[in-house]
Amino acid sequence: MIRRREQLTGIARHGRLRRSHPVRTALGLVAASLAVLLVSTAAVAGIALWQFSSTVSANSIDLNGADVPDAAPSIGSYESGFNILIVGVDNDAEQGGAYGDRDSALNDVNILVHVSADHTNAVVVSIPRDLIVAHPTCTNADTGEEFSSMSARPVNEAMSRGGLPCVVHTIEELTGLEIPFAGLASFDGVVRMSDAVGGVPICLTEAINDPLADLDLPAGTSVVSGSTALAFLRSRHGVGDGGDLSRISSQQIYLASLMRTVQGDGTFTNLPKLFSLASAAATNIKLSKPLANTDTMVSMALALKDIDLTRLVFVQYPGTTDDPDFPNKVVPLQGLADTMFAKILADEPFALAAEDPEPTETPVDPEAPIDPEAPVATDTPVIEAAPEVLDGLTGRTANDESCAQAFTG
């Protein structure tokens, strides 16, 4: 059962952390990880079940006593709502120095996925790496080192204070949601799982040439996979305004296209492709212990696979970069954030201001001639109310096929 946690107030900064440097974020970590959760887990129900389950369990992470179901559900659509946090790290020791050397591991990608209890809507919240948040007390399970609470530091410092459990705890306190399921991915994992997906179409308004991300793509639509997909999702200087927040837009474009692709090309019934995705997940994603269960993963996939793309919303955590107390950082717009998470907690769908919701029934033309032979309706049709529009949110729905804006500054 999802419960709202009590609001944190008056947290003082006591711990001392090594100052981290800005690095290029791999937003593709989330894209590939979410692809596994939304698609590939359906394969394990019938293919190499024992092998996949064993591998995932061996790589699982204990979230230090998170509130989780007592037992995994049986195979079938998940019977309730759920929250999953996908975390991408920029400095995985197992991948070597291929992507540069960094002082510490940072949770530069933080994506919260919420699926409603009736499986009719879902929200994917991208949390900027530079969002200024309160950090709770954390303990590193590997070393036993304890870290005191802090009142206002970037969210991507949580990983260095206690690994994935600390990241989950920090996001729980920020959002007020319980998060029993989480996954951790690295750069190498993105490349391998992007290959397993088989390519995702992305559209560009203009050609992008970003040597820093090793990305060179023409204007129009290209199908990207592997290292090219990673480069697109890492590119900072090639998209939007050249800033970090522009990469969140790239991530959303990729994920929206991914969902359209897998729903439209029969991926859910393509066993070889699903097995490839499941194998990539087993070897490249570290999952929390409650999620590292075959039945749970399959049930979640079944709950998500038929969701209406207009009710799958990708949104950026609301924030501002204009706060003089935190230059070059993102400060939460607390009122809007509270409104959004109240909707999420209540499983109420919402719309973005840029959306133009489709009518729920065909309008009647008053000038059309009346057919005297036509049957007379005896029941009053039930018109579903349109989701409330939350002004100020940035994002898109999964059926939004708009192109990525190339950086021209």
Side-chain angles (χ1 to χ4, degrees):
M1 179 176 181
I2 301 172
R3 304 194 305 269
R4 186 172 182 86
R5 289 183 176 270
E6 296 181 357
Q7 183 72 28
L8 279 180
T9 58
I11 299 179
R13 178 177 179 178
H14 303 295
R16 187 180 69 175
L17 292 174
R18 179 167 42 183
R19 187 177 182 83
S20 56
H21 302 285
V23 297
R24 293 176 298 174
T25 302
L27 291 174
L29 303 175
V30 176
S33 303
L34 187 58
V36 173
L37 292 172
L38 300 183
V39 184
S40 68
T41 53
V44 300
I47 305 177
L49 183 63
W50 65 270
Q51 181 179 6
F52 179 67
S53 179
S54 176
T55 305
V56 172
S57 296
N59 292 329
S60 65
I61 299 174
D62 187 356
L63 294 184
N64 296 335
D67 185 11
V68 299
D70 294 333
S74 58
I75 296 297
S77 183
Y78 203 83
E79 293 184 355
S80 63
F82 51 88
N83 299 321
I84 306 171
L85 182 67
I86 304 299
V87 176
V89 292
D90 66 352
N91 190 21
D92 184 358
E94 296 179 3
Q95 68 187 10
Y99 303 100
D101 296 325
R102 298 169 179 83
D103 293 337
S104 62
L106 303 174
N107 51 299
D108 272 356
V109 177
N110 307 275
I111 293 293
L112 175 63
V113 182
H114 170 80
V115 177
S116 66
D118 62 4
H119 308 157
T120 62
N121 63 88
V123 183
V124 181
V125 183
S126 299
I127 301 172
R129 70 177 194 181
D130 290 328
L131 186 72
I132 298 298
V133 304
H135 288 253
T137 300
C138 285
T139 300
N140 188 313
D142 295 329
T143 65
E145 185 177 4
E146 296 183 357
F147 295 86
S148 300
S149 61
M150 302 187 299
S151 62
R153 294 295 298 167
V155 72
N156 71 345
E157 293 183 6
M159 189 72 188
S160 65
R161 306 178 74 243
L164 183 61
C166 186
V167 179
V168 169
H169 191 190
T170 302
I171 302 303
E172 284 182 328
E173 299 292 358
L174 173 68
T175 64
L177 302 177
E178 290 189 354
I179 307 172
F181 306 108
L184 185 68
S186 66
F187 287 169
D188 278 347
V190 176
V191 172
R192 295 191 180 99
M193 288 189 292
S194 294
D195 282 335
V197 169
V200 173
I202 55 141
C203 175
L204 305 177
T205 58
E206 299 181 40
I208 290 180
N209 185 4
D210 182 2
L212 294 178
D214 195 21
L215 179 66
D216 188 1
L217 287 174
T221 300
S222 300
V223 177
V224 299
S225 62
S227 59
T228 303
L230 174 62
F232 171 69
L233 293 159
R234 291 186 70 194
S235 178
R236 170 180 176 179
H237 300 284
V239 296
D241 61 3
D244 282 331
L245 297 183
S246 296
R247 288 183 289 192
I248 288 181
S249 178
S250 296
Q251 164 204 318
Q252 293 173 344
I253 286 172
Y254 182 93
L255 287 173
S257 179
L258 171 67
M259 286 304 299
R260 293 194 301 271
T261 299
V262 298
Q263 280 201 0
D265 69 359
T267 294
F268 284 105
T269 58
N270 186 327
L271 297 184
K273 181 179 290 188
L274 289 174
F275 178 63
S276 179
L277 288 170
S279 297
T283 55
N284 293 288
I285 297 291
K286 293 181 179 180
L287 304 171
S288 63
K289 288 187 180 299
L291 187 57
N293 179 286
T294 300
D295 289 359
T296 301
M297 297 178 73
V298 171
S299 296
M300 288 179 173
L302 293 175
L304 288 164
K305 70 183 183 68
D306 293 324
I307 195 168
D308 187 336
L309 296 182
T310 65
R311 294 297 182 95
L312 174 54
V313 179
F314 298 93
V315 64
Q316 178 181 303
Y317 189 103
T320 177
T321 57
D322 297 329
D323 192 319
D325 292 333
F326 299 96
N328 301 318
K329 301 299 180 183
V330 183
V331 177
L333 295 173
Q334 201 60 55
L336 181 55
D338 288 345
T339 299
M340 180 181 71
F341 282 106
K343 289 281 189 183
I344 292 174
L345 184 68
D347 277 349
E348 295 179 5
F350 57 84
L352 307 176
E355 290 184 298
D356 183 15
E358 296 182 359
T360 55
E361 63 175 13
T362 304
V364 177
D365 182 0
E367 302 298 327
I370 298 176
D371 182 1
E373 303 294 329
V376 178
T378 58
D379 296 327
T380 302
V382 177
I383 300 176
E384 182 182 359
E388 180 182 353
V389 174
L390 297 187
D391 290 321
L393 291 179
T394 300
R396 68 188 66 242
T397 61
N399 70 328
D400 183 346
E401 299 187 35
S402 58
C403 299
Q405 299 293 318
F407 177 56
T408 57

